[in-house]
Amino acid sequence: MQSNIAEVFQNPETPLKNEKSDFTLDPLEPDIQENSLLSAIPADIIRKAWFTMAHLVLEDNAQVLDVKCGDGKHTYAMAVLNPTVEFIGIDQNIKVIDRAKELFQLPNLQFIAGDVSENFVPKQSLDGVVNSFSLHETYSENNANEKSIEDVLERQFELLKIGGRVFIQDHVLPSDDEYYFIEIPEDMRLKSALVDKPIEHMSDVELLLYFSETARSREDDQFRGFYLEEVPARFPHTRLFRLPAKWAREFLIRKSRKDKWEEEENQEYSFFMLHDFTRLLKNFGARVQYTAPHWDQNIIRKHYNNKIRLFDDEGERLGSPETSTVIVAQKQNNKRSLSIGERRPARDADPDIRITAMRNEYDGKIYDLIARDIEITEILPYYVSDDKKLHVFVHDELPRGLTNTVPRQQVNLDGKYWSGHMTEALSVPSDDLKKLNPKSFREIMNFSKQYFGLKPELNQFFEDGPGFYPAPDCIDENIKTKYLKVSKPAKTGKPHYLHPEASNFSDKGMIRNYDAQQILNAIGVGLLPTSRLEIQILALYEKLGLSYQSWAECPLTLEMAEPDDLSRAEDFAAQMADEDLRYKPSKGRSGLLKTMQSKFVDEGQDKGSIKGLASRDMDFILNEEGSMNTAVVLPLAKKMNGEVMAGVVETYLPVPQRYKGNGFLVSCPSLPLPPDIKNLDMARKYIAEKFEVPEDNVAQMGESFFSHIGVTPQRIYPFVVTPKGPSGWKKVGRGHGVTSFTPLYRLYRLLYLDNYYSFMKVVAMTYQSCLGVDSDMSAEISFSQSHAERKESFVSLENSPSQPIWYNPKPDND
């Protein structure tokens, strides 16, 4: 502990204020609100049910167990939202189970009174197990016995099929020896003594003091409480305390659940560090598919923003504390891949990546370009079920080593980690596809059977989907999409073709059939960090005129502003179609890209121990400037008529020119985040400073994703920013390339043109959050048209009225 507190905190900030929150829950999507089966279920329970199941991407007829289901509302909501999945809710409280059986009755739902250790279902019969804030209850009920957690998880894995998943959402410990400073505004209106004061009437300071004396109340008085030291405050009317990080977290959780303080007084919410969880799960032969801190923005807005601050023991400001942690683990057979990651640098091998350069003759700027001499097309086979649900066939558990490269100079801003097994569209060599007669059903049928084991529906041919430039300024690739309508198969198998960048690991992954809505949900929560697959599925929904649900929410209240410079999407399409050859080959290089080669190891369990199953050398690129975290920012505002406008960057880049004779693209302002940006709060502050707006005018728009996981570990963090005041457009983005503004829904129509996919990803997420689309506003652009034909057919769309945050982008045609 440093003796001079003033020296610890080097960067004074605006004092905290003790203000009451005007927090309200976001509304639910209209057809969810109108669903009579959910009319009695609170909105927060419905959202929790969606969030839980978004992490368990399951095939039809899967069976899921909800452990410690309590009153059954959560289990019931999951069953309503997922009618093709069977749910079992289990709890030891016979009374609440009897009540749940009486209230909640569905064909795909049952409740059982008992314990998970009992033989209520056969071993290896479940596809999923849900532990939604239940493990800390098990820990507390067993007198803080960690062995109880091991026993219950071991039993759950006994009940799972091979490939089944365990979902855990709970709280984790910080490091055992960490201490935090916590700064709290003092409520000057509360002057009464603490003695015998009701919990609901205590201020945050009073609660902390009370909690420091009563924590672990299940024990004798002499064992209660924890270390709490008050140190000199930084600002008037605030209090500053130093305490163990574990109990700072425990206090913050209780503070947000003040109404349940006494009911949960005997519980300890955090007991394992994250690595304790992952080590234990791997001991059970589980692939820890995904771990991530979760920030519930409703809780953050209500209880933390401008109300409390955390600092580490060196006085460095910490970001908003996560409100929970999510873990998804998948049961695997012996000698199956559990994790893939970078082990060490590789030397003396021939690189698969080559670097060339192009020079812009207009301004002299040089761009380094990465090429791999690989051209693939991504295929999304699909069918539509009798109930109008879109199903797609994807490549599941695809090996992707670059998800787990060694951190270099920059931290992982959102703390997300993956095992290295991704879900993507199926890929084939473009040359193989070009050999086919596109109008020969027989050739297409044979090709589909060979590569995917799927049979096209009679007289169905490949249909064009959107194209993508993963990084049009530096990666020389244009990835095309094809759709193929197929018959529903009895079973699926392994893909015939595996992209070279994913080859030579121990497993090829599997072709699986999923409800496309499940894929969108999984992408929405960050489980699948892909941008292409989301755009491919959204475009297919639009193409087929089918309905889908968006659970995205707009994180900002948009400011009213009337931008001066307006552009139309029709103009963008026209510019994309014109010839422009400003880029010429250059002998010199910019030197901003660096090629790396490392050995990546695929590890699995063999008779209880972890061993290497396979390894390979992989080439990838890094930015010499050291930034592997990039913020893509979309400026937004609302006109007086309610129309949402977006600021865009009109630019010319070398890669599109090579493929279509014109480098024109529309994109978002992009900011490489410096190495000293260590969390999302710091990123928001950095963006606010660059765009000259208050921090409250910047928000993250969706989860982070990889820019091109076959070539670079670079992560993209999507944000939106809204100007401050009606004249704010004159500042927002002007230093970051923003050239004009256009209605957001018109940008969404660029989905149908080859584009920079990080831009389309952010536009798609923002569009789903802010707008709805009427049925007569669908884009009249054919995927099979050339750029010139698209230019002619791009129709003028009428202004879209503002719609609720939750919406169905298009109604069913029926």
Side-chain angles (χ1 to χ4, degrees):
M1 173 65 184
Q2 298 188 30
S3 57
N4 188 343
I5 296 298
E7 293 177 358
V8 175
F9 299 94
Q10 299 295 324
N11 299 308
E13 303 168 81
T14 303
L16 292 169
K17 297 180 181 179
N18 200 323
E19 298 174 343
K20 290 190 176 181
S21 172
D22 57 355
F23 162 82
T24 56
L25 278 173
D26 294 310
L28 286 172
E29 190 271 314
D31 76 335
I32 298 297
Q33 287 180 312
E34 296 167 6
N35 189 329
S36 59
L37 294 174
L38 293 171
S39 59
I41 305 299
D44 61 325
I45 298 295
I46 299 173
R47 171 167 279 278
K48 178 184 174 185
W50 168 80
F51 180 84
T52 298
M53 289 305 295
H55 289 86
L56 295 175
V57 184
L58 303 171
E59 296 180 270
D60 288 351
N61 303 314
Q63 191 172 53
V64 174
L65 176 69
D66 186 19
V67 179
K68 289 188 177 293
C69 66
D71 60 15
K73 289 190 181 75
H74 179 236
T75 322
Y76 172 75
M78 290 192 292
V80 172
L81 295 174
N82 301 271
T84 63
V85 176
E86 303 289 328
F87 288 87
I88 303 170
I90 187 169
D91 199 283
Q92 289 179 291
N93 189 323
I94 297 176
K95 290 184 178 179
V96 298
I97 288 296
D98 288 343
R99 182 61 173 161
K101 289 179 179 179
E102 179 183 340
L103 291 176
F104 307 124
Q105 299 177 12
L106 291 171
N108 64 325
L109 176 65
Q110 62 175 303
F111 291 98
I112 296 175
D115 186 79
V116 73
S117 63
E118 300 170 8
N119 296 320
F120 56 92
V121 295
K123 291 183 179 180
Q124 298 189 37
S125 65
L126 298 176
D127 299 279
V129 177
V130 171
N131 298 280
S132 182
F133 298 101
S134 62
L135 290 181
H136 74 263
E137 293 184 10
T138 298
Y139 175 77
S140 300
E141 290 166 359
N142 288 275
N143 294 316
N145 187 343
E146 294 179 357
K147 183 64 166 58
S148 64
I149 302 300
E150 296 180 25
D151 291 343
V152 74
L153 287 176
E154 183 176 20
R155 174 58 176 164
Q156 291 178 13
F157 275 93
E158 288 178 349
L159 299 177
L160 279 177
K161 298 175 183 176
I162 298 297
R165 294 176 173 89
V166 164
F167 169 84
I168 298 170
Q169 186 175 13
D170 225 305
H171 308 284
V172 299
L173 280 172
S175 176
D176 284 337
D177 57 355
E178 272 191 286
Y179 278 76
Y180 285 172
F181 289 98
I182 186 169
E183 186 173 63
I184 308 175
E186 186 171 33
D187 194 332
M188 303 305 294
R189 297 168 297 179
L190 300 174
K191 297 294 185 181
S192 58
L194 186 60
V195 179
D196 298 328
K197 197 171 189 178
I199 294 290
E200 61 269 21
H201 294 156
M202 289 186 187
S203 68
D204 288 345
V205 170
E206 291 172 328
L207 273 174
L208 179 59
L209 293 171
Y210 172 78
F211 185 48
S212 71
E213 298 175 356
T214 59
R216 288 180 168 158
S217 58
R218 63 178 175 275
E219 299 178 339
D220 294 339
D221 285 351
Q222 61 181 329
F223 298 115
R224 292 183 183 179
F226 54 83
Y227 173 84
L228 182 70
E229 173 191 6
E230 184 164 10
V231 298
R234 301 192 305 154
F235 300 105
H237 310 307
T238 64
R239 307 274 290 272
L240 188 61
F241 299 90
R242 182 173 181 261
L243 69 166
K246 142 87 173 177
W247 292 104
R249 294 282 187 88
E250 291 275 341
F251 169 71
L252 292 176
I253 297 166
R254 291 172 192 274
K255 169 179 154 26
S256 66
R257 298 171 60 85
K258 196 172 178 180
D259 58 328
K260 297 183 179 294
W261 187 292
E262 294 179 351
E263 176 186 339
E264 300 179 354
E265 190 172 18
N266 291 332
Q267 292 188 16
E268 282 187 37
Y269 297 109
S270 54
F271 47 89
F272 278 169
M273 286 181 281
L274 183 58
H275 69 77
D276 296 323
F277 268 116
T278 57
R279 184 174 59 246
L280 178 61
L281 292 166
K282 285 182 179 179
N283 287 342
F284 298 142
R287 173 188 295 165
V288 184
Q289 181 183 1
Y290 174 69
T291 65
H294 176 61
W295 290 269
D296 185 320
Q297 292 304 317
N298 291 332
I299 294 176
I300 297 293
R301 288 194 295 263
K302 184 176 182 180
H303 297 285
Y304 301 149
N305 280 358
N306 300 318
K307 299 174 179 65
I308 204 160
R309 287 194 182 118
L310 282 179
F311 305 85
D312 65 18
D313 217 12
E314 301 300 319
E316 184 170 340
R317 173 80 180 272
L318 299 174
S320 299
E322 64 264 30
T323 52
S324 63
T325 295
V326 170
I327 303 171
V328 180
Q330 187 180 36
K331 184 176 179 178
Q332 296 292 331
N333 271 324
N334 195 44
K335 295 187 179 181
R336 283 292 304 275
S337 175
L338 300 184
S339 64
I340 305 170
E342 184 181 4
R343 180 61 54 86
R344 59 178 172 80
R347 296 178 177 87
D348 302 325
D350 293 331
D352 296 325
I353 289 177
R354 57 184 175 83
I355 301 180
T356 60
M358 298 287 283
R359 181 179 181 273
N360 187 332
E361 292 195 329
Y362 285 48
D363 60 15
K365 186 173 181 180
I366 295 176
Y367 290 83
D368 290 344
L369 299 183
I370 298 298
R372 300 183 297 166
D373 297 323
I374 299 171
E375 186 177 348
I376 66 161
T377 299
E378 296 192 335
I379 312 289
L380 205 61
Y382 73 93
Y383 70 89
V384 180
S385 60
D386 293 339
D387 58 353
K388 299 293 184 183
K389 300 295 185 185
L390 175 62
H391 285 250
V392 294
F393 294 85
V394 294
H395 194 158
D396 204 16
E397 303 178 42
L398 176 66
R400 288 296 196 187
L402 293 187
T403 55
N404 289 317
T405 53
V406 173
R408 291 170 170 86
Q409 297 183 348
Q410 270 190 313
V411 300
N412 184 341
L413 295 187
D414 56 11
K416 294 178 182 293
Y417 288 95
W418 294 267
S419 63
H421 304 84
M422 296 288 107
T423 299
E424 301 177 17
L426 297 157
S427 60
V428 299
S430 297
D431 287 343
D432 290 3
L433 202 61
K434 291 174 183 176
K435 295 174 185 177
L436 297 178
N437 179 348
K439 296 183 179 180
S440 171
F441 175 72
R442 180 175 294 278
E443 288 189 30
I444 290 173
M445 179 175 66
N446 291 337
F447 183 90
S448 179
K449 285 183 176 180
Q450 177 188 358
Y451 276 87
F452 318 129
L454 299 172
K455 181 180 178 181
E457 282 201 356
L458 185 62
N459 292 325
Q460 291 294 319
F461 306 97
F462 284 116
E463 307 165 80
D464 287 332
F468 305 97
Y469 301 109
D473 59 338
C474 65
I475 298 177
D476 190 5
E477 290 186 18
N478 179 212
I479 299 172
K480 298 291 187 179
T481 303
K482 298 284 186 181
Y483 300 124
L484 181 63
K485 190 174 184 180
V486 299
S487 301
K488 180 181 179 181
K491 62 179 181 178
T492 53
K494 292 182 179 295
H496 172 74
Y497 175 79
L498 189 66
H499 197 290
E501 68 198 21
S503 62
N504 296 330
F505 291 115
S506 64
D507 199 348
K508 286 187 176 183
M510 295 290 293
I511 296 175
R512 288 202 168 88
N513 165 17
Y514 291 126
D515 184 331
Q517 181 68 59
Q518 283 193 301
I519 300 290
L520 291 182
N521 293 346
I523 293 171
V525 297
L527 177 71
L528 304 181
T530 173
S531 52
R532 290 201 302 269
L533 185 56
E534 180 176 32
I535 304 302
Q536 289 162 337
I537 290 175
L538 289 174
L540 183 55
Y541 269 113
E542 295 278 352
K543 182 180 181 69
L544 298 174
L546 293 174
S547 173
Y548 66 93
Q549 291 175 348
S550 171
W551 290 80
E553 61 181 77
C554 186
L556 293 178
T557 300
L558 300 184
E559 299 272 353
M560 291 291 184
E562 296 287 337
D564 299 326
D565 302 325
L566 298 177
S567 293
R568 301 183 306 165
E570 300 95 308
D571 298 331
F572 298 150
Q575 286 181 268
M576 289 178 183
D578 292 336
E579 184 177 80
D580 187 293
L581 301 175
R582 67 183 64 195
Y583 284 97
K584 304 296 181 184
S586 171
K587 294 182 179 179
R589 286 177 48 190
S590 71
L592 294 179
L593 297 181
K594 177 171 62 175
T595 59
M596 304 290 294
Q597 188 175 69
S598 288
K599 187 171 292 295
F600 284 74
V601 175
D602 183 355
E603 292 186 329
Q605 189 182 66
D606 184 12
K607 299 178 182 179
S609 62
I610 300 297
K611 63 174 293 185
L613 303 178
S615 68
R616 62 161 292 188
D617 294 344
M618 292 184 66
D619 298 318
F620 55 99
I621 61 169
L622 298 175
N623 192 307
E624 284 281 17
E625 294 179 338
S627 177
M628 294 310 295
N629 297 326
T630 299
V632 174
V633 186
L634 186 65
L636 292 177
K638 187 178 288 188
K639 293 174 67 176
M640 296 301 293
N641 66 359
E643 188 176 39
V644 176
M645 305 294 290
V648 296
V649 175
E650 300 171 51
T651 187
Y652 287 83
L653 293 172
V655 175
Q657 176 184 297
R658 188 172 93 77
Y659 289 94
K660 63 183 181 69
N662 182 322
F664 180 80
L665 278 183
V666 182
S667 64
C668 302
S670 179
L671 296 178
L673 296 174
D676 59 346
I677 302 296
K678 297 181 179 179
N679 56 57
L680 293 173
D681 284 352
M682 294 177 72
R684 283 180 60 243
K685 183 177 180 181
Y686 179 78
I687 293 167
E689 290 171 352
K690 293 296 182 181
F691 282 83
E692 300 183 57
V693 298
E695 280 188 60
D696 289 344
N697 287 47
V698 179
Q700 191 176 6
M701 178 57 77
E703 303 295 334
S704 64
F705 56 92
F706 289 96
S707 62
H708 191 329
I709 198 54
V711 177
T712 176
Q714 180 190 41
R715 293 268 296 280
I716 304 294
Y717 295 84
F719 286 86
V720 289
V721 59
T722 190
K724 184 64 178 175
S727 62
W729 277 127
K730 299 185 184 302
K731 288 185 178 181
V732 167
R734 287 306 189 193
H736 304 284
V738 172
T739 53
S740 63
F741 305 91
T742 196
L744 178 60
Y745 75 85
R746 292 176 183 266
L747 288 181
Y748 187 66
R749 293 306 165 206
L750 296 178
L751 175 76
Y752 296 86
L753 304 176
D754 288 11
N755 216 311
Y756 192 171
Y757 72 61
S758 67
F759 166 66
M760 289 314 305
K761 168 84 169 181
V762 177
V763 167
M765 289 187 292
T766 308
Y767 174 80
Q768 292 176 70
S769 301
C770 298
L771 292 176
V773 180
D774 295 329
S775 58
D776 63 345
M777 292 178 55
S778 58
E780 298 176 13
I781 299 178
S782 167
F783 284 107
S784 61
Q785 289 175 314
S786 67
H787 284 276
E789 290 171 328
R790 289 171 181 170
K791 172 183 174 181
E792 296 298 326
S793 64
F794 206 106
V795 296
S796 176
L797 304 176
E798 295 298 323
N799 287 350
S800 169
S802 294
Q803 297 290 335
I805 287 169
W806 307 93
Y807 77 102
N808 269 349
K810 293 182 75 173
D812 287 326
N813 288 346
D814 294 345

